[in-house]
Amino acid sequence: MGGPTTDPDPTAPPTRLHRVRARLAPPAGARYRAFRVDPNSSREKSVRARILPIAACVLLAVFAYDGVVRLLLIGLIRLPKLPAELTVLTTILALFSLTHAWYSLGGRLTLVFFGLSAAISWAYEQIGVATGLVFGAYHYTDYLGSKLGHVPYLIPLAWFMMIYPSYVIANLAIQRRATGTPAGLGALLRLAAVSAVVMTAWDLVVDPILSGPSARAWIWENSGAYFGIPIQNYAGWLLTTFTVYFCYRAVEQRAVAAPLGPVGAGMAALAVAAYGLMLASDLLSGVEPAGVAIIGPLVMGPPVLVAAWRLRPGAPGRNGPDQLRSIDEPPVRRRRRFSP
């Protein structure tokens, strides 16, 4: 049995324990809100960080199978092909770009990038078809399916499909990192311009094919100097892509990137491979006119080679076997060596 208990004497001097409790106690009348830490939040992010790279690899593998491997083996072995091939392949590669961007940029920047790309490309195309002022006089046929206004729904998807890999390639070529835009107007203009050139190089390949006699996805009202395509078309492409990249990179300069994991050389190589596989797919799809088979590697090959050179082991800006320089690190500058 315990002994008798007595209440503490209020007139007794405070002990050390009393002084500690007084310091930790909340102010009188203060209201506090109970917060509960969600134990699944970091776990969910970790799951996405593992799943998204796998999903990107699977999507790129499916595109490579139907768009490249199956076409290479025609005449040797008959492999099953995807239904509605052009629409499905465009959707698959667009999903790859979205998945890769979600991992590398975070969900919010990916939505901004995709939203700007879809809205700006559709607006320029809509104005272009209606007036002929952007790309030249042309109109879409029913080859690409249903339209929003004068523009097929598939077109904004196709723009982002290649706008994102071109963004990564331009970043690797100029900044030796896969993502991010450094502060300053000069960096913004330089990266937006290089990205626009890399993206427009693709149109030198795809436009003659899809507007050619075998597809007729769109028809030019007036014949031009480049396989019947007016040169104005490529000025319009540069304008459209520069606008997308300028707007997105301006946001990116002021945003806090939230990648789901490290964007190493292996992850960056997937985006470079997507750009190269698109070139291969275009050239293997029964190229018409035949001259595109020569022009394609000349205009799309150099961006792939430069990006691959940046990703080689031991390249400047590589911080490890599979690590690229961070956006917070200054650009790598080569020092000139002087002999004594």
Side-chain angles (χ1 to χ4, degrees), residues 7-298:
D7 293 332
D9 184 3
T11 62
T15 64
R16 184 178 179 183
L17 179 59
H18 291 152
R19 289 194 293 269
V20 171
R21 286 178 175 174
R23 285 198 299 268
L24 295 179
R31 293 183 179 180
Y32 285 85
R33 187 176 177 183
F35 289 93
R36 184 175 61 183
V37 177
D38 182 7
N40 296 321
S41 58
S42 59
R43 184 182 303 172
E44 289 175 1
K45 183 176 179 181
S46 176
V47 169
R48 290 196 300 269
R50 292 194 300 269
I51 290 177
L52 288 175
I54 296 173
C57 289
V58 170
L59 289 165
L60 194 60
V62 173
F63 179 86
Y65 160 76
D66 195 79
V68 178
V69 175
R70 186 184 61 80
L71 298 178
L72 282 173
L73 296 179
I74 289 178
L76 299 176
I77 183 174
R78 186 174 181 178
L79 296 173
K81 67 177 183 177
L82 298 176
E85 203 169 1
L86 179 62
T87 301
V88 171
L89 283 179
T90 300
T91 303
I92 287 172
L93 201 57
L95 287 174
F96 162 81
S97 292
L98 283 167
T99 303
H100 195 288
W102 188 4
Y103 174 87
S104 303
L105 303 174
R108 291 183 180 180
L109 279 179
T110 298
L111 288 176
V112 170
F113 204 172
F114 178 77
L116 287 171
S117 172
I120 292 172
S121 62
W122 179 86
Y124 273 112
E125 292 263 11
Q126 178 72 7
I127 294 170
V129 175
T131 67
L133 294 177
V134 183
F135 307 98
Y138 71 108
H139 67 272
Y140 283 100
T141 65
D142 294 331
Y143 185 84
L144 297 178
S146 301
K147 301 181 182 71
L148 176 62
H150 300 303
V151 183
Y153 288 103
L154 194 65
I155 290 297
L157 202 62
W159 277 87
F160 188 77
M161 172 187 74
M162 289 297 284
I163 271 180
Y164 176 74
S166 301
Y167 156 86
V168 174
I169 287 175
N171 259 57
L172 290 171
I174 303 301
Q175 298 293 324
R176 292 186 174 91
R177 54 178 168 248
T179 62
T181 304
L185 181 60
L188 175 61
L189 293 173
R190 180 168 60 253
L191 282 167
V194 173
S195 304
V197 170
V198 174
M199 173 68 175
T200 302
W202 174 53
D203 192 53
L204 288 166
V205 179
V206 71
D207 210 314
I209 297 173
L210 289 184
S211 65
S214 59
R216 292 291 186 188
W218 53 88
I219 296 175
W220 296 101
E221 309 293 348
N222 303 309
S223 181
Y226 182 73
F227 299 113
I229 303 167
I231 300 302
Q232 179 187 347
N233 173 62
Y234 298 100
W237 265 69
L238 288 170
L239 173 64
T240 304
T241 52
F242 180 84
T243 303
V244 173
Y245 287 122
F246 183 88
C247 292
Y248 169 70
R249 288 184 180 278
V251 173
E252 189 176 54
Q253 280 185 328
R254 294 163 175 79
V256 177
L260 299 186
V263 186
M267 196 66 184
L270 291 177
V272 179
Y275 188 90
L277 287 170
M278 175 55 74
L279 169 62
S281 179
D282 287 338
L283 297 183
L284 290 170
S285 61
V287 177
E288 192 175 353
V292 176
I294 299 173
I295 295 172
L298 291 178

